[in-house]
Amino acid sequence: MDNLFWIFISALLVNNFILSYFLGLCPFLGVTNNLTTAFRLGLANIFVMLITAICAWLLNTFVLEYAPYLRLISFIIVIASTVQFVEMAIKKISPELFRALGIFLPLITTNCAILGLALFATNKGYGLIEGLVYALGAGGGVTLALVLMAGIREETRILDIPDLVKGTALSLIIAGILSMAFMGFAGMFSTT
Amino acid sequence: MKEKESSMAQEFVKGLWKENPVFVMVLGMCPALAVSNTAINSLAMGSATLFVLFFSSMLVSLLRKIIPQQVRITTYIVIIATFVTLVDFLLAALVPEIHKELGAFIALIVVNCMILGRAEAFAAKNPLRLALADALGMGFGFTFALLCVGAIREILGNGSLFTIPLFGAGFEPWVVMILPPGGFLTLGFMLLFFNWLEQRRKRQLAALSSTPH
């Protein structure tokens, strides 16, 4: 139990996927103009990550033991197609949820954070439960970073900023400062 | 013939500077920032990406008339993933220390949006020669950008370049530069610098055209 909690917190804060592994930067820089959108994107991320964790575990246990060199190819294909299926299923079962996640669901598939999650979980040798907890933490971390960033960027819009800094440069510098703030979490678990 | 050569050169040069994937188009950021904490890592990551980009562009361009429109993205991803697997094993065999340091980020070249972007936007529509020129230009542009970021981070964060110490013992390294925040900050300030250059150039042009002859 202790271990699972540690995996969760570590993925959520200390090794935040966006701010310390630089995964999933494209949506982080691209769609964080608006708080609501950012939050939904985060939710869609958590969701896809959970599916990915299950897929990765299934593949690792049942298939890849016999052909480890196919890991990358099979991961990306299986994850992409599973997400497609799930998308269709959600559309049928719960149109409301489908609308909330919107365009982000298919887009997320090609997000590096998803493949990164599958690869890191494999490298760390996580089982099914650990993988799911890891996915939850990582997804939560991504959501947290997206929402924080969107909040800050909404504020910057009403400020008087020189033209020179506007755009990607500003976002990157803000991200750098956020990342510095997250480094503080590393000290939380120095004893473990 | 002459014209063909000049357009090949054009495709090559474009990727180096005017459409540099990192500085101008802000593509492929994830691997660019994650492993650019030293110049050597940047160089390794850049070369691996260049390799994958070159061969996948080649294959995509050669197969562009055979690949059905509906499944093209999937096909590209399979092609890219194949070459990434190849490079992963190559690096593990040739330079095991660097491979260990880069870790899962080699595998993550698959989802580098730059490679898929070039396959979709360029290689799928152009003949082999142009596609190769484009891939080389973009690949070198990417490597160059990575190397710049990596060199700055290593010099400031470690006081060395390619592990050769540059300063005396009195230098206090800015540790933050080799940690994650340094990646964001370095690239942020570099983009700022390019913005400034661009603005200055525009001002100069405006001043030039407004002065009476």
Side-chain angles (χ1 to χ4, degrees), chain A residues 68-187:
Chain A
Y69 50 87
L70 283 180
R71 174 166 297 140
L72 209 49
I73 303 180
S74 55
F75 269 7
I76 197 149
I77 294 178
V78 169
I79 292 167
S81 41
T82 313
V83 172
Q84 287 266 292
F85 276 125
V86 171
E87 193 194 346
M88 283 188 250
I90 295 183
K91 202 174 176 181
K92 197 92 181 164
I93 299 164
S94 158
E96 221 149 83
L97 181 63
F98 182 75
R99 260 200 305 279
L101 299 179
I103 179 72
F104 297 123
L105 207 50
L107 276 186
I108 281 172
T109 321
T110 50
N111 185 326
C112 24
I114 303 301
L115 188 63
L117 176 94
L119 290 171
F120 287 137
T122 310
N123 287 353
K124 290 180 179 167
Y126 285 162
L128 182 59
I129 304 292
E130 287 160 323
L132 282 176
V133 172
Y134 186 56
L136 207 60
V142 168
T143 313
L144 190 65
L146 283 172
V147 167
L148 280 175
M149 186 68 179
I152 296 175
R153 278 179 77 174
E154 277 194 348
E155 290 291 318
T156 59
R157 217 175 311 149
I158 49 171
L159 298 175
D160 186 22
I161 296 166
D163 277 344
L164 190 67
V165 201
K166 274 184 184 156
T168 322
L170 180 68
S171 312
L172 280 170
I173 292 170
I174 294 175
I177 294 167
L178 267 182
S179 167
M180 245 187 262
F182 268 69
M183 268 171 60
F185 289 119

Side-chain angles (χ1 to χ4, degrees), chain B residues 111-167:
Chain B
V111 276
N112 186 330
C113 14
M114 179 188 75
I115 298 182
L116 191 63
R118 288 333 282 174
E120 164 77 359
F122 200 91
K125 299 193 184 87
N126 287 287
L128 184 61
R129 304 156 52 89
L130 292 182
L132 289 186
D134 175 74
L136 278 182
M138 285 289 164
F140 277 116
F142 183 74
T143 312
F144 168 71
L146 230 62
L147 200 55
C148 287
V149 177
I152 292 178
R153 288 178 70 183
E154 194 182 343
I155 292 172
L156 292 178
N158 210 12
S160 63
L161 187 59
F162 289 109
T163 65
I164 303 160
L166 293 179
F167 308 109

Side-chain angles (χ1 to χ4, degrees), chain A residues 18-103:
Chain A
I18 291 184
L19 294 171
S20 75
Y21 282 160
F22 303 99
L23 295 172
L25 280 183
C26 310
F28 182 63
L29 297 173
V31 281
T32 47
N33 291 318
N34 178 302
L35 208 57
T36 337
T37 329
F39 185 61
R40 282 188 185 165
L41 179 68
L43 286 189
N45 238 316
I46 297 183
F47 183 70
V48 176
M49 278 179 168
L50 287 175
I51 296 175
T52 306
I54 299 173
C55 288
W57 178 78
L58 285 175
L59 278 173
N60 275 333
T61 345
F62 297 111
V63 184
L64 292 174
E65 224 172 290
Y66 310 103
Y69 50 87
L70 283 180
R71 174 166 297 140
L72 209 49
I73 303 180
S74 55
F75 269 7
I76 197 149
I77 294 178
V78 169
I79 292 167
S81 41
T82 313
V83 172
Q84 287 266 292
F85 276 125
V86 171
E87 193 194 346
M88 283 188 250
I90 295 183
K91 202 174 176 181
K92 197 92 181 164
I93 299 164
S94 158
E96 221 149 83
L97 181 63
F98 182 75
R99 260 200 305 279
L101 299 179
I103 179 72

